[in-house]
Amino acid sequence: MTLLRRRWYTCLSLQGVLILKMITLRHIAFLVLFSCPLALAADKKVPAKPASSRFEISFPKEISATPLDGHVMLVIANNNESEPRFQISFMTAQSQQIFGADVDALAPGSLAVIDISTLGYPAESLNDIPAGDYWVQAVLNIYETFHLGNGRTLKLPPDKGEGQHWQTKPGNLYSKPEKLHFDPKAPQTVRILMTEKNPTVQEDPKFIDKMAGWGGANDDHKIVDNKWVKHIRMQSDMLTRFWGRPTYLGAVILLPDGWEEHPDARYPVIVEQDHFHRGLPGVVAFRTTPPGDELKGGELRVANMGYKLYQDWTAGRLPRVIVVTIQHATPYFDDSYAVNSENVGPYGDAITQELIPYIEKTYRGIGEGWARTVYGGSTGGWESLASQVFYPDFYNGAWVFCPDVVDFRAYMTMNLYDDKNAFWIDGHFANVPRPSVRQPDGLVLATMEQMNRYELVQGTHNRSGEQLDTWEAVFSSVGEDGYPKRIFNKRTGEIDHEVAKYWKEHYDLSAIMQRDWKTLGPKLAGKLHFYVGEADTFYLDRAVHLLKDFMDTTTDPYYRGSFDFGIRKPHCYAGDLDPAAGINQHYFPEMVKHMEETAPPGADLKSWKY
């Protein structure tokens, strides 16, 4: 698997199919980029620096006649199994090499330079690369200038329908892979010309979907409506005001069988929180034909799930509800985290006040809080809990699978409030590296320092489009430079406890519930259900345990929810389920039963049952 990506859809299914997601890193302080060759004047008083290797990257005017802003990356691979740009991994030992640097107004024919001063991952410097034969490739992730409604001007990578993958982002430039012999002890200058441009989604949807790991979910890669599946895109007034340009929310909707034939029926709504998908995501894969022989592995499993959901959906074996998965990619990530944020915008309000009411009006949802539930995993798990906590009357139950960090005392492997450093466990005479990624048996695959450098190499100012950068973009206030404030230094790991205080007040879901239980408790009791593996790949189970410790002490009211910890289960654990049954087949009836049992007097419990 080349594009290792975000965790919920990376799993493809919640029955333990773990296909990891691609993550990326970059640097801020040591990135050096020149828009033209640099000539060093001779000075007899300054000793000459020893010669060193460098890569000079450019693009011709035929591919872009205008200067471009963005982030240039050089990827070096020791094999040609796939293009180097698709061989980067947050699992450090498995990753190929990448270097990155910002460019401003890089003109056609001008040079972006990668040299020994440019930060890299896994090796930090060109000098650290062993001599050998390699395939090299350059990519330019193009930024656009955003003039925000509050007056800020930022350079950011807009989503272009691919879900914030710089490798496949439409319009990004790249070079064809070239083989060369590289030896840092034998200085050389390598010139790379970026002559290729990624296609748009419309030009090659199969390429976009396959590279994002989304193949197999539906019948084909074309986005077309049918009897059950509808796609909508609406301009959000709230988000347009924030971003200073037309900004849209989208959704893919799964309608109940018989929706057209029963115009008087109104339906409960189940919201599936997820990463960006052009169609229904793997967890709600819905395909009207059985998969063919061309699919293998995870794609085949997802396709089989999708065909089984279609069979159960149309045979009356599932409750008749409307299922909604939301598309809300931002310039920082492939979704917004479904909350209001100083840096990302008022997505929480836009979703609950604009998008979902529009869907319910258009497709005959009941349109009342008792008739909505929300579920999701990983990022979608955090969003499900946050949606229920921040909008407690809007939703009537959250099924929270393997959620992102719900208690910042266990921010993966650190305590943001008490620890001094994100990278090291401090000792008197030595420091211990903090792990960030592990196997279910406990074997460590990456450290926090490596994971952060992985992102930093692929974009400064939280522009990597990856996990830690995204949390900062959503949770932080705005920094003096207009970009999100860092919770910790991306190079040294030093934690900023003033930023942590802001996080605690606004986005630490466990702390917020503890602080406000007197008013929140009556609105949340009986609505919260958690599922996480005890061996979560990203140590997210630690925060869920802290939340459970609090929930167990609640009174007036008692939380009346549930926690399910899967022994030795990795990320994407969703309960002890029959893999052949399907997650939706298990939980949809449970959600509907809860809605029926808590419906107010006179609620519509009949029109949608036919």
Side-chain angles (χ1 to χ4, degrees), residues 4 137 265 285 306 326 357 371 376 397 495 502 563 566:
L4 303 174
Q137 186 174 36
I326 302 171
I495 297 173
Y502 181 90
F563 286 84

Side-chain angles (χ1 to χ4, degrees), residues 5 86 171 227 308 334 403 419 483 544 550 575 582:
R5 193 53 161 166
F86 300 127
K227 180 179 179 180
K308 187 177 189 311
D334 76 335
D419 292 335
Y483 293 94
V544 178
F550 161 67

Side-chain angles (χ1 to χ4, degrees), residues 135-153:
W135 284 260
V136 299
Q137 186 174 36
V139 180
L140 177 61
N141 189 17
I142 298 172
Y143 297 165
E144 292 182 5
T145 300
F146 287 74
H147 301 282
L148 274 62
N150 62 6
R152 284 185 289 156
T153 298

Side-chain angles (χ1 to χ4, degrees), residues 49-55 116 126-127 181-190:
K49 293 183 179 180
S52 60
S53 296
R54 58 191 265 142
F55 289 79
I116 60 171
L126 278 173
N127 283 344
H181 182 81
F182 181 78
D183 184 352
K185 295 181 180 180
Q188 62 188 119
T189 296
V190 180

Side-chain angles (χ1 to χ4, degrees), residues 29-295:
F30 304 112
L31 300 182
V32 178
L33 199 328
F34 301 96
S35 61
C36 60
L38 180 64
L40 296 177
D43 189 336
K44 295 181 180 180
K45 297 181 181 179
V46 180
K49 293 183 179 180
S52 60
S53 296
R54 58 191 265 142
F55 289 79
E56 298 177 346
I57 302 167
S58 62
F59 61 87
K61 64 180 180 180
E62 290 79 13
I63 197 167
S64 176
T66 59
L68 298 173
D69 298 323
H71 194 74
V72 68
M73 286 163 278
L74 172 70
V75 190
I76 302 174
N78 62 8
N79 66 79
N80 65 343
E81 295 175 3
S82 63
E83 293 183 38
R85 58 177 166 156
F86 300 127
Q87 296 195 55
I88 306 303
S89 170
F90 60 80
M91 294 185 293
T92 304
Q94 299 180 15
S95 182
Q96 298 297 330
Q97 181 67 37
I98 184 169
F99 297 91
D102 289 336
V103 294
D104 291 309
L106 183 67
S110 296
L111 302 180
V113 176
I114 302 294
D115 59 19
I116 60 171
S117 68
T118 309
L119 188 70
Y121 169 91
E124 291 197 36
S125 169
L126 278 173
N127 283 344
D128 298 327
I129 297 177
D133 293 331
Y134 297 98
W135 284 260
V136 299
Q137 186 174 36
V139 180
L140 177 61
N141 189 17
I142 298 172
Y143 297 165
E144 292 182 5
T145 300
F146 287 74
H147 301 282
L148 274 62
N150 62 6
R152 284 185 289 156
T153 298
L154 306 176
K155 293 182 179 181
L156 298 168
D159 181 75
K160 294 189 175 181
E162 89 295 345
Q164 284 297 2
H165 297 265
W166 55 261
Q167 291 90 337
T168 59
K169 183 182 293 294
N172 276 0
L173 310 186
Y174 66 96
S175 66
K176 294 180 179 179
E178 300 177 44
K179 187 178 181 180
L180 59 78
H181 182 81
F182 181 78
D183 184 352
K185 295 181 180 180
Q188 62 188 119
T189 296
V190 180
R191 293 179 174 85
I192 299 178
L193 190 63
M194 296 182 291
T195 59
E196 312 301 310
K197 182 182 295 187
N198 283 333
T200 65
V201 173
Q202 293 74 22
E203 290 170 337
D204 196 349
K206 184 174 293 187
F207 169 75
I208 299 293
D209 290 352
K210 184 175 180 58
M211 291 300 101
W214 300 338
N218 301 304
D219 292 315
D220 55 41
H221 294 270
K222 295 180 180 178
I223 298 303
V224 294
D225 288 354
N226 61 33
K227 180 179 179 180
W228 303 275
V229 180
K230 308 295 181 182
H231 303 79
I232 67 166
R233 187 169 182 261
M234 61 168 288
Q235 182 171 332
S236 163
D237 293 338
M238 294 180 183
L239 298 175
T240 296
R241 286 194 295 270
F242 178 87
W243 285 106
R245 59 165 66 182
T247 304
Y248 298 84
L249 287 169
V252 188
I253 300 157
L254 180 59
L255 295 176
D257 196 48
W259 180 86
E260 292 178 344
E261 294 80 10
H262 295 80
D264 295 327
R266 299 175 68 83
Y267 303 88
V269 169
I270 295 176
V271 176
E272 191 265 341
Q273 290 283 12
D274 211 310
H275 293 277
F276 176 87
H277 293 264
R278 294 196 312 113
L280 287 171
V283 70
V284 201
F286 187 89
R287 54 182 296 145
T288 59
T289 59
D293 296 335
E294 74 281 1
L295 298 179

Side-chain angles (χ1 to χ4, degrees), residues 354-511:
E354 294 179 325
L355 180 65
I356 292 180
Y358 171 79
I359 292 172
E360 290 175 330
K361 181 179 180 180
T362 303
Y363 295 103
R364 303 197 311 271
I366 291 173
E368 298 177 19
W370 71 267
R372 300 186 196 99
T373 59
V374 59
Y375 78 114
S378 193
T379 290
W382 192 93
E383 291 171 328
S384 299
L385 180 59
S387 296
Q388 185 66 79
V389 170
F390 293 142
Y391 302 93
D393 297 319
F394 192 81
Y395 295 100
N396 188 19
W399 277 254
V400 180
F401 304 106
C402 53
D404 286 0
V405 182
V406 297
D407 190 313
F408 296 155
R409 292 173 297 169
Y411 188 74
M412 297 176 72
T413 55
M414 76 194 80
N415 183 327
L416 289 181
Y417 309 130
D418 294 340
D419 292 335
K420 296 180 180 179
N421 196 283
F423 298 166
W424 314 100
I425 301 171
D426 296 328
H428 290 293
F429 302 105
N431 297 328
V432 178
R434 294 188 190 275
S436 62
V437 185
R438 64 179 171 182
Q439 293 182 168
D441 63 2
L443 181 66
V444 174
L445 301 176
T447 67
M448 286 299 302
E449 186 279 330
Q450 291 168 332
M451 189 173 181
N452 276 272
R453 184 156 43 88
Y454 181 41
E455 294 187 7
L456 191 54
V457 166
Q458 298 186 63
T460 60
H461 297 298
N462 299 90
R463 293 177 295 197
S464 70
E466 296 302 337
Q467 194 58 74
L468 299 173
D469 274 354
T470 300
W471 285 339
E472 284 185 328
V474 175
F475 301 154
S476 289
S477 57
V478 178
E480 293 182 0
D481 60 2
Y483 293 94
K485 286 185 178 179
R486 290 288 190 192
I487 185 67
F488 50 78
N489 186 294
K490 206 78 169 172
R491 289 297 286 137
T492 68
E494 181 181 1
I495 297 173
D496 188 328
H497 292 108
E498 288 302 311
V499 176
K501 290 179 182 178
Y502 181 90
W503 282 32
K504 182 176 184 179
E505 180 181 354
H506 293 86
Y507 299 104
D508 186 326
L509 300 180
S510 177

